[in-house]
Amino acid sequence: MLKRLMAIATMTLLTSCGVAYVSPKVSDAGSKVRIVSLTSETVLAANRSQYKPKELPAVFFQNAGGSGGMRGAGATPDPVSDLQNRPAELALRVPSTPPQTTYDIGVGDVLLLATQGGTSTVEELSGLLAAQNRRQGYTVQDDGAIAIPDVGRVKVAGLTLEEAEGALFQRLLEAQIDPSFSLEIAEFNSKRVSIGGAVGNPTIIPIALTPLTLDQAIATAGGIQTPDLDYASIRLYRDGDLYQIPLSEYLRRADLQKTRLVSGDSVFVDTEYQLDRAQAYFAEQITIRQFRQQARAQALAELTAVVNLRRANLNESRANFEAQIDNDAIDRDYAYLTGEVKSPGRFTLPFGRTATLADALYSDGGFDTKTADPSQIYVLRGSNNPSEAGSVTAWNLNAKNATDLILATRMELRPNDVIFIAEQPVTRWNRVISQITPSLITSVANSVQ
């Protein structure tokens, strides 16, 4: 009986050879298959093949920022002039001396940037002078930045000229542009002082790098235009306070003449004691500033609306592209995972960069450490040369020594690469046994019956 069972088992095993599990493997038996072991040198050879990864659409690199000029606030109202009797004397009220500070760049200032453009010192100097004569420069926008081609927006508001040069120098280095340049303020528009009343030419005076004193402002406005020196006065409005300097005291004292002015000061030269008139003038200045502030707020609101529309358009375009990706409607590059992997399928090559063998091996569907043979990891790559149709190069990574996995981080994948991982010998044997055992048991059972 035992001999009969052994004979049956032997026959069953032999007959099962035609239907037992067939293990896939990489073989160079075919003349067009070439197996190459992965080493530091062969990785370099494999990566020489030309490949340009697909790029994300431009909408993923755009922003919704924008800039626009501020609208004018309209004509300045005419000053109020009502007569008033002269007092017996005029009181002296002098503002405190403001602290010495460096000039901080502000919104509206125009910066002149000169870079090397000629081949000689004379040409470079001529180009710089020509740029100055044309007043070419960059205006500090509402957000405190200047927009420079090939560099982008550089925030300079609130910085000194030296600090602005440092910020610009850093940005030029980051953009890989020759950082040889000169920077100066071509127009001072952010800090101003207004002067009116009995002067030759009521005007608004910008504050530049050097401090602006009261006598300089009066001289710029054409000087004091009044024959009455006894009851004329200079009134200064600063931060909600009104100060008064009798003209006789002003002409007698050099320290009063050198009173330093700050941005936002309003100076009014009055030929009589007429405080109401001065207050009316300052009220007008406040009204004008409020009007300009409202105009600026409205312009900013319009700009915000435009930016929001741009942002919504960009978000919609990005969402549409992502939806196309989710529905597999975008042409993508793929490599393919097969053999002893967790989940056979395709591995999507990323946008804008190359992927490596390590990226695929350690992805969600990658290397199965329980059944895979680490010495039989292959990247199968067909030839793109029409004259070599059917030729395949099998790049073999032998990772029995785990340190060789470093090569996987250097081996770049190409579209249509097939990553194949062979099974371990014990895995192959287990699968053969799992196919033969049911047939053997069935055959023996039938024989016993």
Side-chain angles (χ1 to χ4, degrees):
M1 184 65 179
L2 180 60
K3 291 181 178 180
R4 183 179 179 184
L5 290 176
M6 291 177 62
I8 293 173
T10 302
M11 292 179 63
T12 302
L13 180 61
L14 293 174
T15 56
S16 298
C17 291
V19 296
Y21 170 72
V22 177
S23 174
K25 62 181 181 178
V26 175
S27 172
D28 58 357
S31 60
K32 294 186 177 182
V33 178
R34 183 168 61 104
I35 300 177
V36 180
S37 297
L38 274 185
T39 63
S40 298
E41 292 75 16
T42 57
V43 164
L44 293 176
N47 292 344
R48 288 196 187 102
S49 60
Q50 297 296 323
Y51 170 56
K52 183 178 181 181
K54 296 186 183 301
E55 298 290 341
L56 284 170
V59 294
F60 283 89
F61 304 97
Q62 296 172 349
N63 58 57
S67 61
M70 300 302 294
R71 298 175 301 174
T76 303
D78 295 331
V80 178
S81 56
D82 295 327
L83 295 176
Q84 182 181 343
N85 295 329
R86 299 177 180 178
E89 63 179 282
L90 300 177
L92 174 64
R93 289 192 62 211
V94 182
S96 58
T97 302
Q100 289 281 0
T101 58
T102 56
Y103 185 90
D104 293 335
I105 298 171
V107 175
D109 287 344
V110 178
L111 303 184
L112 183 63
L113 173 64
T115 57
Q116 293 184 355
T119 57
S120 67
T121 304
V122 174
E123 291 177 357
E124 292 174 2
L125 180 59
S126 301
L128 178 58
L129 293 176
Q132 291 174 334
N133 292 335
R134 293 192 300 268
R135 300 188 69 80
Q136 295 178 351
Y138 300 93
T139 301
V140 181
Q141 300 295 323
D142 308 344
D143 58 352
I146 57 176
I148 302 176
D150 299 328
V151 176
R153 302 187 69 80
V154 182
K155 190 172 183 61
V156 295
L159 303 181
T160 64
L161 190 59
E162 182 180 0
E163 293 170 340
E165 288 176 343
L168 184 56
F169 181 88
Q170 184 64 32
R171 291 297 298 274
L172 289 174
L173 286 181
E174 293 173 357
Q176 298 183 351
I177 297 175
D178 184 5
S180 300
F181 66 94
S182 65
L183 184 68
E184 62 179 293
I185 302 176
E187 295 179 22
F188 299 87
N189 299 319
S190 63
K191 300 173 179 59
R192 299 184 176 186
V193 170
S194 61
I195 181 167
V199 292
N201 181 28
T203 185
I204 295 177
I205 305 171
I207 296 179
L209 297 178
T210 56
L212 177 64
T213 58
L214 183 57
D215 59 345
Q216 291 174 337
I218 292 175
T220 302
I224 298 174
Q225 303 293 320
T226 177
D228 188 356
L229 303 181
D230 294 331
Y231 296 96
S233 63
I234 301 171
R235 295 191 174 96
L236 172 65
Y237 183 82
R238 176 182 296 172
D239 296 332
D241 294 325
L242 183 62
Y243 303 94
Q244 178 175 266
I245 302 176
L247 187 55
S248 57
E249 289 287 321
Y250 170 81
L251 296 175
R252 187 174 59 86
R253 294 175 53 179
D255 60 326
L256 296 179
Q257 297 173 15
K258 297 301 179 182
T259 300
R260 188 151 48 89
L261 303 179
V262 298
S263 180
D265 282 355
S266 293
V267 179
F268 188 88
V269 180
D270 197 0
T271 58
E272 297 179 351
Y273 183 78
Q274 197 169 354
L275 184 59
D276 291 341
R277 178 181 175 185
Q279 289 176 336
Y281 172 79
F282 297 133
E284 286 176 337
Q285 295 298 315
I286 293 173
T287 301
I288 291 173
R289 292 189 181 185
Q290 290 175 344
F291 176 74
R292 289 175 178 168
Q293 185 66 26
Q294 291 172 357
R296 181 180 178 184
Q298 184 175 353
L300 289 175
E302 294 175 358
L303 179 60
T304 300
V306 171
V307 169
N308 288 339
L309 288 175
R310 292 176 183 171
R311 182 177 292 113
N313 185 52
L314 289 175
N315 289 338
E316 182 179 5
S317 298
R318 294 166 184 170
N320 290 339
F321 181 80
E322 291 170 352
Q324 288 178 307
I325 289 182
D326 293 340
N327 290 281
D328 204 13
I330 298 294
D331 183 25
R332 299 292 302 274
D333 291 331
Y334 301 97
Y336 300 88
L337 293 164
T338 186
E340 298 307 312
V341 294
K342 298 176 184 176
S343 177
R346 62 188 186 183
F347 173 77
T348 305
L349 300 186
F351 287 106
R353 65 177 182 86
T354 57
T356 65
L357 175 59
D359 293 329
L361 291 179
Y362 295 100
S363 63
D364 292 338
F367 191 76
D368 190 340
T369 57
K370 295 181 180 179
T371 61
D373 185 348
S375 68
Q376 299 294 315
I377 301 174
Y378 294 90
V379 176
L380 308 180
R381 181 174 298 171
S383 174
N384 292 327
N385 190 341
S387 63
E388 300 177 356
S391 296
V392 176
T393 301
W395 305 94
N396 175 222
L397 172 63
N398 185 348
K400 279 187 176 181
N401 185 347
T403 59
D404 289 337
L405 288 172
I406 289 294
L407 297 173
T409 66
R410 301 173 184 171
M411 175 68 180
E412 297 178 358
L413 297 179
R414 297 292 184 260
N416 300 320
D417 279 355
V418 176
I419 301 168
F420 170 74
I421 306 176
E423 61 192 352
Q424 298 181 20
V426 67
T427 302
R428 184 184 305 113
W429 174 249
N430 286 339
R431 288 172 177 169
V432 171
I433 294 301
S434 66
Q435 287 193 351
I436 293 176
T437 300
S439 298
L440 179 62
I441 293 174
T442 301
S443 298
V444 172
N446 291 336
S447 299
V448 172
Q449 290 178 359

